[in-house]
């Protein structure tokens, strides 16, 4: 590589790093949505291509969500 190409790539890498830090750092400092105890919750049930709308599996899913909501239980996802 020529000296000019090396310089160009170094400057491009430095500019890319600077732009990335401007974009990524504010997102990392954003308020955690789980820190609000009264935050809204949105749930999506994705049915399979062979499942009909109102399939027993989806009915069970929504019934369990309603049970949790009514009983004010805490839910731990993924752990």
């Amino acid at each position: 590589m020529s000296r000019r190409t090396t310089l160009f790539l170094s400057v491009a890498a430095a500019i890319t790093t600077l732009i990335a830090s401007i974009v990524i750092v504010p997102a990392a400092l954003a308020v955690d949505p789980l820190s609000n105890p009264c935050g809204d919750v949105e749930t999506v049930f994705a049915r399979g291509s062979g499942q009909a709308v109102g399939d027993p599996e989806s009915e069970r899913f929504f019934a369990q969500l309603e049970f949790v909501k009514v009983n004010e239980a805490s839910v731990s996802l993924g752990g």
Side-chain angles (χ1 to χ4, degrees):
M1 255 195 272
S2 71
R3 201 161 191 219
R4 187 174 184 174
T5 303
T6 304
L7 178 63
F8 175 76
L9 291 175
S10 298
V11 170
I15 291 172
T16 302
T17 303
L18 178 64
I19 292 172
S21 67
I22 291 171
V23 172
I24 295 172
V25 171
L29 298 176
V31 176
D32 180 15
L34 298 178
S35 66
N36 181 2
C38 297
D40 292 338
V41 175
E42 183 176 335
T43 304
V44 177
F45 178 80
R47 62 186 177 90
S49 60
Q51 289 179 307
V53 176
D55 188 65
E57 185 178 359
S58 67
E59 295 298 323
R60 268 194 314 275
F61 177 77
F62 289 114
Q64 288 173 354
L65 280 179
E66 187 64 28
F67 175 80
V68 169
K69 185 177 88 173
V70 168
N71 292 298
E72 299 182 40
S74 65
V75 177
S76 175
L77 299 176

